[in-house]
Structure formats: structure tokens, C-alpha cells
Amino acid sequence: MTKEHSPDRLDIKAFAQAGGHLSRHDSLLKYKRLAEESKGLHPDLMVDWTADGEIRTVAGLGAQVWMHLVVHATVPMQCQRCLGPVDVPLDIDREFRFVADEATAEALDDECEEDLLVISREFDLRQLIEDELLMELPVVPRHDECPTPVTLESSDEDFEEASAQKPNPFAALASLRRDDGKKH
């Protein structure tokens, strides 16, 4: 009998021992926090992902639980240069090693290159996927080249008019210098 693995309540150890494989073509709307960062959402936006579990034997450490995660999504955002819509492609290809508890993960974190997570019988894989996608979002989304030219202007009629009416505050210094030369 083959055990069905659920991405919402995944027994990580059993998944790895079975050499489990999961893949989905989820709607972006299933990832609420990611959807909040998006602009112009529609039901056709998808998050494609695969997760593979395995047990790896490491010398001195014994059997270790691992998961390989690959995710691709395109998230609609607002270009911060032209303020138009921009589709931001996000690609993740990561491996995670699972350890017994938070204390172990914290103790090993500095010396390990891989990402460490705590093993669980009810691991929320979709939450991990959403966390990884959120970390991949650019701080300032923008086109490589905006579809419409961006004109940058820094003029403000009110500011220019007010500046023209005020005397230069350093003009008094210039007159002091001229006066100083006359006294010698």
C-alpha cells in the first residue's frame, strides 16, 4: 500500500524514507501572504513546485532526512520606476536537511551550508514554499527596460517662484568681503 503524502500535513521522515515525490500546479491565490504582495492577481497565475524526499547517510552523522524543493512562479507587481505592471519571475532550487529540534538547528546553523529545518509529522510544505517565494521577491520591483520612457522632472513651480523672491542668504557674506578690502 502506498501512503498518500499531503503537502499541508507532511510527515517529513516518512516522506524521506519512502523516497517521496510531490508536485503541484497551485493557484497563486492559495498563498495568501504572497498574494498580498502582488498587483493585478487573477486565477490563471500559478505556482509550480516539486518536492523530493530522501534519506542520505553521512559519515559520522548516520542517516539524515533531506528534501529537495524546486519552485517556479511569476508574480505580478508594480514597477517602481514607471509605476506600470511588471511580471516578476521567481525560481527556487533548494535543499533542506531536517534535524530533531530547534536547539540542534541553531547549534549547527553556522557550520552548515545547507538550510536546516526541524523535522515534523505535520510539516506545512506550502508554508515553506510561500516563505521561500516571499524571500525571493525583489525589494524594488522594476522592468529591465520600462515599456514607456520614464521622464524624470524635479521642477516645482511653487518652489521656483518662492526661491526667486528670496535673496541669497550668502549675499551678505559677499558684501562683507568687499567691505573688508576697502578698510586696508
Side-chain angles (χ1 to χ4, degrees):
M1 181 172 121
T2 306
K3 180 176 176 159
E4 183 69 29
H5 299 287
S6 168
D8 300 315
R9 294 174 45 136
L10 185 61
D11 181 339
I12 292 291
K13 188 173 183 178
F15 180 67
Q17 287 172 331
H21 173 82
L22 286 171
S23 65
R24 295 288 191 278
H25 186 68
D26 287 337
S27 168
L28 183 69
L29 300 173
K30 278 189 174 185
Y31 302 88
K32 293 189 184 333
R33 293 177 296 145
L34 187 60
E36 288 173 5
E37 297 293 324
S38 304
K39 303 284 185 226
L41 282 176
H42 55 84
D44 296 337
L45 292 169
M46 304 306 283
V47 175
D48 295 313
W49 60 265
T50 62
D52 294 293
E54 70 176 300
I55 301 290
R56 295 182 191 169
T57 304
V58 179
L61 296 175
Q64 301 288 307
V65 176
W66 285 78
M67 182 175 59
H68 181 211
L69 179 65
V70 177
V71 183
H72 173 75
T74 299
V75 179
M77 300 188 83
Q78 183 177 40
C79 175
Q80 296 302 298
R81 189 180 304 143
C82 70
L83 301 179
V86 60
D87 288 337
V88 177
L90 303 175
D91 291 294
I92 296 161
D93 188 344
R94 309 265 307 261
E95 290 197 333
F96 300 91
R97 180 165 59 110
F98 288 83
V99 295
D101 52 42
E102 286 289 339
T104 304
E106 195 172 310
L108 295 174
D109 192 40
D110 289 337
E111 60 193 55
C112 293
E113 289 183 25
E114 68 270 7
D115 292 310
L116 300 173
L117 296 174
V118 176
I119 202 161
S120 170
R121 287 180 177 249
E122 295 188 2
F123 186 78
D124 189 344
L125 183 55
R126 282 196 174 99
Q127 182 177 342
L128 174 65
I129 291 167
E130 185 171 39
D131 289 346
E132 294 296 315
L133 288 170
L134 286 167
M135 288 190 293
E136 284 294 311
L137 285 176
V139 175
V140 181
R142 61 179 181 229
H143 296 100
D144 290 334
E145 248 184 70
C146 292
T148 56
V150 178
T151 55
L152 300 176
E153 290 188 28
S154 62
S155 65
D156 180 355
E157 289 178 22
D158 293 335
F159 177 76
E160 288 177 13
E161 184 179 319
S163 295
Q165 293 174 359
K166 289 184 180 178
N168 183 338
F170 297 103
L173 294 175
S175 67
L176 289 176
R177 186 171 180 194
R178 279 185 250 133
D179 292 342
D180 189 37
K182 292 179 185 176
K183 291 180 184 177
H184 294 303

Short mmCIF file of all heavy atoms in Angstrom, two decimals, residues 4-12 22 24 26 30-31 49 120-129:
data_model
loop_
_atom_site.label_atom_id
_atom_site.label_comp_id
_atom_site.label_asym_id
_atom_site.label_seq_id
_atom_site.Cartn_x
_atom_site.Cartn_y
_atom_site.Cartn_z
N GLU A 4 -0.29 8.12 0.90
CA GLU A 4 -0.53 9.40 0.24
C GLU A 4 0.09 10.50 1.10
O GLU A 4 -0.18 10.58 2.29
CB GLU A 4 -2.03 9.62 0.08
CG GLU A 4 -2.41 10.88 -0.64
CD GLU A 4 -2.05 10.85 -2.12
OE1 GLU A 4 -2.04 9.76 -2.71
OE2 GLU A 4 -1.80 11.93 -2.66
N HIS A 5 0.91 11.32 0.51
CA HIS A 5 1.55 12.42 1.24
C HIS A 5 0.81 13.72 0.94
O HIS A 5 0.54 14.05 -0.20
CB HIS A 5 3.01 12.57 0.82
CG HIS A 5 3.83 11.35 1.11
ND1 HIS A 5 4.21 10.99 2.39
CD2 HIS A 5 4.34 10.41 0.29
CE1 HIS A 5 4.93 9.89 2.34
NE2 HIS A 5 5.01 9.50 1.08
N SER A 6 0.48 14.45 1.98
CA SER A 6 -0.22 15.73 1.84
C SER A 6 0.76 16.87 2.07
O SER A 6 1.46 16.90 3.08
CB SER A 6 -1.34 15.83 2.87
OG SER A 6 -1.84 17.15 2.92
N PRO A 7 0.81 17.85 1.16
CA PRO A 7 1.72 18.98 1.36
C PRO A 7 1.35 19.86 2.54
O PRO A 7 2.18 20.59 3.06
CB PRO A 7 1.63 19.75 0.04
CG PRO A 7 0.37 19.32 -0.59
CD PRO A 7 0.06 17.95 -0.08
N ASP A 8 0.12 19.78 3.00
CA ASP A 8 -0.33 20.63 4.11
C ASP A 8 -0.01 20.03 5.48
O ASP A 8 0.08 20.74 6.46
CB ASP A 8 -1.84 20.89 4.00
CG ASP A 8 -2.17 21.58 2.69
OD1 ASP A 8 -1.47 22.54 2.32
OD2 ASP A 8 -3.13 21.14 2.02
N ARG A 9 0.14 18.71 5.52
CA ARG A 9 0.46 18.00 6.77
C ARG A 9 1.38 16.84 6.43
O ARG A 9 0.98 15.68 6.47
CB ARG A 9 -0.82 17.49 7.43
CG ARG A 9 -1.72 18.61 7.91
CD ARG A 9 -3.03 18.09 8.41
NE ARG A 9 -2.84 16.93 9.27
CZ ARG A 9 -3.45 16.74 10.42
NH1 ARG A 9 -4.31 17.61 10.84
NH2 ARG A 9 -3.23 15.66 11.14
N LEU A 10 2.61 17.17 6.10
CA LEU A 10 3.56 16.19 5.59
C LEU A 10 4.40 15.60 6.72
O LEU A 10 5.04 16.34 7.47
CB LEU A 10 4.47 16.87 4.56
CG LEU A 10 5.45 15.99 3.82
CD1 LEU A 10 4.73 14.91 3.01
CD2 LEU A 10 6.31 16.85 2.89
N ASP A 11 4.38 14.27 6.84
CA ASP A 11 5.26 13.57 7.77
C ASP A 11 6.62 13.48 7.05
O ASP A 11 6.82 12.64 6.18
CB ASP A 11 4.71 12.18 8.08
CG ASP A 11 5.57 11.40 9.07
OD1 ASP A 11 6.78 11.73 9.23
OD2 ASP A 11 5.06 10.46 9.68
N ILE A 12 7.51 14.39 7.40
CA ILE A 12 8.78 14.53 6.69
C ILE A 12 9.61 13.25 6.70
O ILE A 12 10.13 12.84 5.67
CB ILE A 12 9.60 15.70 7.29
CG1 ILE A 12 8.91 17.03 6.98
CG2 ILE A 12 11.02 15.72 6.77
CD1 ILE A 12 8.93 17.42 5.53
N LEU A 22 6.41 14.85 -4.51
CA LEU A 22 5.17 15.61 -4.63
C LEU A 22 5.39 16.70 -5.66
O LEU A 22 6.47 17.30 -5.73
CB LEU A 22 4.79 16.28 -3.31
CG LEU A 22 4.23 15.40 -2.20
CD1 LEU A 22 4.13 16.20 -0.90
CD2 LEU A 22 2.87 14.86 -2.59
N ARG A 24 2.95 19.96 -7.67
CA ARG A 24 1.65 20.60 -7.81
C ARG A 24 1.76 21.78 -8.78
O ARG A 24 2.82 22.35 -9.00
CB ARG A 24 1.13 21.14 -6.47
CG ARG A 24 0.83 20.08 -5.42
CD ARG A 24 -0.41 19.28 -5.75
NE ARG A 24 -0.86 18.46 -4.66
CZ ARG A 24 -0.38 17.27 -4.34
NH1 ARG A 24 0.62 16.76 -5.01
NH2 ARG A 24 -0.88 16.58 -3.33
N ASP A 26 -0.28 24.84 -8.36
CA ASP A 26 -1.22 25.55 -7.50
C ASP A 26 -1.53 26.94 -8.03
O ASP A 26 -0.66 27.60 -8.60
CB ASP A 26 -0.62 25.75 -6.09
CG ASP A 26 -0.55 24.48 -5.28
OD1 ASP A 26 -1.30 23.54 -5.54
OD2 ASP A 26 0.28 24.45 -4.34
N LYS A 30 -3.67 30.58 -3.55
CA LYS A 30 -3.57 29.72 -2.37
C LYS A 30 -2.54 30.24 -1.37
O LYS A 30 -2.52 29.82 -0.23
CB LYS A 30 -3.15 28.30 -2.77
CG LYS A 30 -4.27 27.45 -3.26
CD LYS A 30 -3.78 26.02 -3.41
CE LYS A 30 -4.93 25.12 -3.77
NZ LYS A 30 -4.55 23.72 -3.81
N TYR A 31 -1.68 31.13 -1.81
CA TYR A 31 -0.59 31.64 -0.98
C TYR A 31 -0.95 33.08 -0.59
O TYR A 31 -0.57 34.04 -1.27
CB TYR A 31 0.73 31.56 -1.75
CG TYR A 31 1.05 30.13 -2.16
CD1 TYR A 31 0.59 29.61 -3.36
CD2 TYR A 31 1.78 29.31 -1.32
CE1 TYR A 31 0.86 28.30 -3.72
CE2 TYR A 31 2.06 27.99 -1.67
CZ TYR A 31 1.58 27.49 -2.88
OH TYR A 31 1.85 26.20 -3.23
N TRP A 49 5.59 23.57 -8.38
CA TRP A 49 6.62 23.12 -7.46
C TRP A 49 6.72 21.60 -7.43
O TRP A 49 5.77 20.89 -7.73
CB TRP A 49 6.40 23.69 -6.07
CG TRP A 49 5.11 23.33 -5.40
CD1 TRP A 49 3.96 24.07 -5.40
CD2 TRP A 49 4.83 22.15 -4.63
NE1 TRP A 49 2.99 23.42 -4.68
CE2 TRP A 49 3.49 22.25 -4.19
CE3 TRP A 49 5.57 21.03 -4.26
CZ2 TRP A 49 2.88 21.27 -3.41
CZ3 TRP A 49 4.97 20.06 -3.48
CH2 TRP A 49 3.65 20.18 -3.07
N SER A 120 9.16 17.19 11.39
CA SER A 120 7.80 17.25 11.91
C SER A 120 6.95 16.17 11.24
O SER A 120 7.23 15.78 10.11
CB SER A 120 7.20 18.62 11.63
OG SER A 120 5.83 18.66 11.91
N ARG A 121 5.92 15.74 11.95
CA ARG A 121 4.97 14.79 11.35
C ARG A 121 3.85 15.54 10.64
O ARG A 121 3.07 14.93 9.91
CB ARG A 121 4.36 13.89 12.43
CG ARG A 121 5.33 12.88 12.94
CD ARG A 121 4.66 12.01 14.01
NE ARG A 121 5.56 10.99 14.43
CZ ARG A 121 5.40 9.71 14.16
NH1 ARG A 121 4.36 9.30 13.49
NH2 ARG A 121 6.28 8.84 14.58
N GLU A 122 3.75 16.84 10.87
CA GLU A 122 2.70 17.66 10.25
C GLU A 122 3.30 18.93 9.67
O GLU A 122 2.86 20.04 9.93
CB GLU A 122 1.60 17.99 11.26
CG GLU A 122 0.86 16.75 11.72
CD GLU A 122 -0.35 17.07 12.57
OE1 GLU A 122 -0.64 18.26 12.79
OE2 GLU A 122 -1.00 16.11 13.00
N PHE A 123 4.33 18.74 8.84
CA PHE A 123 5.06 19.86 8.24
C PHE A 123 4.19 20.48 7.15
O PHE A 123 3.62 19.80 6.30
CB PHE A 123 6.37 19.33 7.64
CG PHE A 123 7.26 20.41 7.12
CD1 PHE A 123 8.02 21.18 7.98
CD2 PHE A 123 7.35 20.65 5.76
CE1 PHE A 123 8.86 22.18 7.50
CE2 PHE A 123 8.18 21.65 5.27
CZ PHE A 123 8.93 22.40 6.14
N ASP A 124 4.10 21.82 7.15
CA ASP A 124 3.32 22.55 6.14
C ASP A 124 4.25 22.95 5.00
O ASP A 124 4.93 23.98 5.07
CB ASP A 124 2.65 23.76 6.77
CG ASP A 124 1.65 24.44 5.83
OD1 ASP A 124 1.70 24.18 4.61
OD2 ASP A 124 0.84 25.23 6.33
N LEU A 125 4.29 22.12 3.97
CA LEU A 125 5.18 22.36 2.83
C LEU A 125 4.79 23.63 2.07
O LEU A 125 5.65 24.38 1.63
CB LEU A 125 5.17 21.14 1.90
CG LEU A 125 6.08 21.19 0.69
CD1 LEU A 125 7.53 21.47 1.08
CD2 LEU A 125 5.98 19.87 -0.08
N ARG A 126 3.50 23.89 1.96
CA ARG A 126 3.07 25.10 1.25
C ARG A 126 3.52 26.37 1.99
O ARG A 126 3.84 27.37 1.38
CB ARG A 126 1.56 25.10 1.04
CG ARG A 126 1.15 24.19 -0.10
CD ARG A 126 -0.27 24.47 -0.56
NE ARG A 126 -0.60 23.69 -1.72
CZ ARG A 126 -1.30 22.56 -1.69
NH1 ARG A 126 -1.75 22.08 -0.56
NH2 ARG A 126 -1.55 21.93 -2.81
N GLN A 127 3.58 26.31 3.31
CA GLN A 127 4.07 27.47 4.07
C GLN A 127 5.55 27.69 3.77
O GLN A 127 5.99 28.82 3.60
CB GLN A 127 3.85 27.27 5.56
CG GLN A 127 4.29 28.48 6.36
CD GLN A 127 4.02 28.34 7.85
OE1 GLN A 127 3.22 27.53 8.28
NE2 GLN A 127 4.70 29.14 8.64
N LEU A 128 6.33 26.61 3.70
CA LEU A 128 7.74 26.73 3.35
C LEU A 128 7.89 27.32 1.95
O LEU A 128 8.71 28.22 1.73
CB LEU A 128 8.44 25.37 3.42
CG LEU A 128 9.89 25.35 2.92
CD1 LEU A 128 10.79 26.21 3.80
CD2 LEU A 128 10.40 23.91 2.84
N ILE A 129 7.08 26.84 1.01
CA ILE A 129 7.12 27.36 -0.36
C ILE A 129 6.81 28.85 -0.37
O ILE A 129 7.52 29.65 -0.99
CB ILE A 129 6.15 26.58 -1.27
CG1 ILE A 129 6.67 25.15 -1.46
CG2 ILE A 129 5.93 27.28 -2.60
CD1 ILE A 129 5.65 24.19 -2.06
#
